[in-house]
Amino acid sequence: MREGRKDVTDEARAGAARPLRVDAAEPVFAAGALDDLRLGVGGKTWSLWGRGGRAKEEALAASAPQDALPVLLGPHLGRCLEVLAAAGRPVAVVDREAAVWAVTGARERFRAHPGVLWIEDADPGAVLAVLTRWQAEQGGRPFAPLAAPAARRVDPELYGALHGMLCGAPTKRPTADFWASAAYPKFRSAKPRVLFLDRPYFLNAEIKDALTELEAPWTPLAVPVQERGSAAFVEGLLRQVLDFRPDFVLTVNHFGLDSEGRLAELLERLKLPLASWFVDNPHLILSRYSGLATTGTALFTWDADNVETLRAAGYANVHSLPLATDPRRFRPGLPAGPEAWRTDVSFVGDSMASSVRRSLAACAAVPELAREYAHIAEGFGASRERDVDAYLASARPELSARLRATGDVALRLACESLVTWEATRQYRQACVSALEPFAPLIVGDEEGWRAAWKERFGGAGRARFLSRLDYYADLPRFYPMSAVSLNCTSRQMKGAVNQRVFDVPACGGFVLTDRRAQLDALFEPGREALVYDGPQEIPALVERCLGDADLRERVSRAARSRILAEHTYVHRLSRLLDIMRASFG
């Protein structure tokens, strides 16, 4: 045990740079004895136990099976440890919350106790290594993790993760060595096994359906919308590692990853590869994170222009993976929608007015940008530069330098978003305004589009407006009821295509889209896609298409044939699975 204590001290020194989670601890007494603690954690106050905490810790001690090794995780009153030590039980304590020790005195009383192994390391892997050696010294008995209700919430990446590791299985049967159980060979089955980090998002249903159609074994792990890296999430992941034995983890837009890089570090230690498919700007997302460019991470981006910049940022395994469609959802022959949906020309999309307002409010600390954002966005939209940060560095170097000097990543992201969304708003307004002679039906944020239309035409322009339609239930029926569906792509993707160029032809509609550099690799222009090079070309092209039903039918049919052959989500997931096997198998 002395050797184990020396290791713990050395490892604790190495992990000491990580901040403690409990800022303050206030004692609560009952009948003259310490009965609970009020813990200050990140500006919030939590009760460790609530009323009757002393009795609850005694019950916690009694819950440890006699043939198991109790491991006390996180802050505690000290009563559980007193009961176990008095009974002569060997006990391990993983606790680094100095504010709690100052109140309970437990560390001072028990750290040198011959039956107690006290561990203060911040690294769950290092802690588990020490516990495993201690376990061997104690005859290989199973672990019995013990924790107060609030303890795992205090530090889910340490106490929560260890609780999951030591439990090992949903039945709570302890495992002798989590790491040995988790070190199984990967990519040995005919189809890779996928652990999918699942949360409500438009692409997730398509991914799950595609994996099912490919007969690739997969299981979901729900991602909390608010609490990244929560104890329950980490424990769920560790249980799935042992129970499902995935070959890799799949997520969209890095959902489920925490900004500190703890989950990425855990996956690396598990030797469990991560595939993350970005369908929004990866640079805006990844700039919020640290320590994610691990050797086991593969990034997939819907925009091929991001591949080289992501590699330059340190991500060695980066691949282009465009959007696609699900032909079972978007297919011809569905029941028609309301007659009010029928129109010669339509546009489906957001005006971006509310996105601009939100971003502008977040940029109040940069008055120069707040004053000139519309002009700056106009310049970015017209430039060949595809990254806002790079554009500002060349076009507005003084503003770029001031933003960098703030050191405020969130502020820089808000400023980049403001320029992107305003450039998109201007572009969409110009494109959709070009439809005015054709009395278009505009679907999206109705209030935003009405305001934009009034600004452009003083309210006199001819147009009809509809509020947003449901992507799955409505749009597959809506698109075929328009003779021409106009598509104009967001300025966050100057070279890539959005999902509308796939969805509209897949359900039998006709789309007129803006030219994008990556479109030529997906469709043959003129035969499978009709494109415009700027808003000024839209009226003549729309008039031509409205007057030639055969042209619309011919292009739509050719595009749909190409989509069914190459551009479904089954095709995309098949390629992703092949790349993950080739990279990590």
Side-chain angles (χ1 to χ4, degrees):
M1 184 170 294
R2 282 291 171 189
E3 181 180 351
R5 283 202 186 125
K6 179 178 183 296
D7 291 342
V8 172
T9 302
D10 293 343
E11 288 160 357
R13 192 175 296 119
R18 182 177 170 197
L20 301 176
R21 293 302 181 95
V22 177
D23 306 315
E26 178 185 346
V28 177
F29 294 94
L34 181 64
D35 195 60
D36 194 17
L37 292 172
R38 294 193 182 97
L39 305 178
V41 183
K44 299 179 180 179
T45 301
W46 297 337
S47 290
L48 179 64
W49 281 106
R51 183 175 299 177
R54 180 179 176 85
K56 291 173 182 176
E57 280 213 1
E58 292 172 351
L60 183 67
S63 72
Q66 288 298 318
D67 62 346
L69 294 171
V71 181
L72 191 53
L73 299 171
H76 51 96
L77 300 176
R79 182 56 181 161
C80 177
L81 184 53
E82 288 175 354
V83 171
L84 292 169
R89 304 279 301 273
V91 186
V93 180
V94 183
D95 183 0
R96 57 190 305 270
E97 309 306 329
V100 174
W101 309 336
V103 174
T104 66
R107 180 178 183 269
E108 182 180 353
R109 285 183 289 144
F110 288 102
R111 191 169 188 273
H113 191 287
V116 176
L117 174 67
W118 194 288
I119 307 173
E120 299 171 18
D121 202 299
D123 184 338
V127 172
L128 191 60
V130 173
L131 288 174
T132 301
R133 290 196 295 271
W134 174 68
Q135 180 186 49
E137 295 173 2
Q138 302 297 327
R141 284 182 281 167
F143 293 121
L146 308 173
R152 285 182 282 165
R153 292 175 62 204
V154 164
D155 192 342
E157 292 89 357
L158 179 61
Y159 308 130
L162 284 168
H163 194 277
M165 292 175 183
L166 300 180
C167 287
T171 57
K172 304 300 182 185
R173 293 190 302 270
T175 179
D177 186 343
F178 173 84
W179 295 114
S181 301
Y184 52 85
K186 311 293 192 297
F187 296 97
R188 296 298 178 88
S189 56
K191 299 281 188 177
R193 301 174 64 82
V194 182
L195 176 58
F196 183 53
L197 304 187
D198 193 14
R199 65 174 288 181
Y201 195 66
F202 88 94
L203 188 61
N204 284 15
E206 286 87 339
I207 288 175
K208 291 181 284 189
D209 288 347
L211 290 172
T212 300
E213 190 168 340
L214 288 166
E215 298 182 348
W218 67 276
T219 192
L221 177 62
V223 175
V225 175
Q226 297 296 332
E227 295 186 25
R228 289 178 178 152
S230 68
F233 176 69
V234 173
E235 289 179 27
L237 184 143
L238 295 172
R239 288 197 296 271
Q240 292 286 15
V241 167
L242 293 184
D243 294 346
F244 181 68
R245 297 168 71 87
D247 292 310
F248 70 94
V249 174
L250 173 61
T251 187
V252 174
N253 286 350
H254 255 38
F255 292 149
L257 277 291
D258 58 284
S259 58
E260 294 84 7
R262 293 287 174 185
L263 185 62
E265 180 184 352
L266 177 59
L267 294 176
E268 192 77 357
R269 183 169 286 114
L270 290 166
K271 294 182 171 57
L272 186 59
L274 170 70
S276 189
W277 188 4
F278 285 94
V279 295
D280 287 305
N281 190 323
H283 296 288
L284 289 178
I285 297 171
L286 289 174
S287 58
R288 307 168 190 166
Y289 297 82
S290 62
L292 299 189
T294 62
T295 57
T297 296
L299 300 186
F300 297 82
T301 171
W302 98 113
D303 187 347
D305 293 336
N306 293 321
V307 171
E308 292 306 318
T309 55
L310 287 171
R311 287 174 180 166
Y315 295 89
N317 202 338
V318 187
H319 307 272
S320 171
L321 195 67
L323 294 171
T325 193
D326 181 351
R328 293 180 301 177
R329 290 184 171 91
F330 287 84
R331 67 182 191 274
L334 293 172
E339 194 59 28
W341 290 1
R342 196 172 302 281
T343 183
D344 284 343
V345 185
S346 69
F347 172 79
V348 176
D350 198 291
S351 71
M352 307 306 296
S354 60
S355 297
V356 169
R357 281 197 301 271
R358 287 194 298 269
S359 296
L360 183 59
C363 296
V366 190
E368 180 182 350
L369 181 62
R371 288 193 307 268
E372 302 182 51
Y373 74 93
H375 177 68
I376 293 171
E378 183 180 4
F380 171 66
S383 77
R384 299 177 64 86
E385 183 58 64
R386 293 175 178 176
D387 178 71
V388 173
D389 184 51
Y391 172 75
L392 291 177
S394 60
R396 302 295 295 267
E398 294 181 0
L399 175 58
S400 175
R402 278 197 291 276
L403 286 175
R404 291 178 180 276
T406 66
D408 189 335
V409 174
L411 179 62
R412 284 179 57 193
L413 288 177
C415 293
E416 290 184 26
S417 297
L418 173 60
V419 174
T420 301
W421 303 145
E422 173 61 15
T424 300
R425 188 198 67 79
Q426 294 175 8
Y427 177 60
R428 285 190 175 174
Q429 183 168 332
C431 290
V432 176
S433 295
L435 300 176
E436 195 271 340
F438 308 99
L441 176 57
I442 303 172
V443 181
D445 53 325
E446 186 173 347
E447 180 181 350
W449 275 116
R450 286 185 184 276
W453 206 255
K454 184 176 182 179
E455 175 187 334
R456 181 79 174 186
F457 298 106
R462 296 186 302 156
R464 291 189 294 134
F465 302 93
L466 285 179
S467 297
R468 291 181 177 89
L469 296 178
D470 185 83
Y471 179 77
Y472 296 110
D474 296 332
L475 289 184
R477 299 184 300 140
F478 176 84
Y479 288 138
M481 297 182 71
S482 299
V484 176
S485 293
L486 182 74
N487 182 49
C488 45
T489 314
S490 168
R491 289 305 201 191
Q492 74 163 321
M493 42 196 291
K494 288 190 174 183
V497 301
N498 59 23
Q499 81 280 354
R500 199 164 290 114
V501 300
F502 305 105
D503 290 346
V504 176
C507 59
F510 171 81
V511 63
L512 175 63
T513 188
D514 44 358
R515 189 183 301 278
R516 286 292 179 263
Q518 296 166 38
L519 181 70
D520 292 3
L522 302 168
F523 297 99
E524 182 182 338
R527 193 180 76 84
E528 298 170 332
L530 256 61
V531 301
Y532 60 91
D533 285 302
Q536 71 281 358
E537 294 186 0
I538 291 175
L541 281 170
V542 169
E543 189 169 5
R544 175 192 170 196
C545 293
L546 289 177
D548 194 340
D550 289 341
L551 171 66
R552 300 197 307 268
E553 175 64 23
R554 188 167 63 251
V555 172
S556 177
R557 189 167 52 245
R560 186 168 192 274
S561 296
R562 183 73 176 269
I563 289 166
L564 294 179
E566 299 180 17
H567 301 318
T568 70
Y569 282 109
V570 169
H571 292 111
R572 301 294 187 255
L573 267 296
S574 178
R575 181 167 182 265
L576 186 149
L577 295 178
D578 288 344
I579 289 173
M580 293 302 291
R581 184 187 292 278
S583 300
F584 303 106

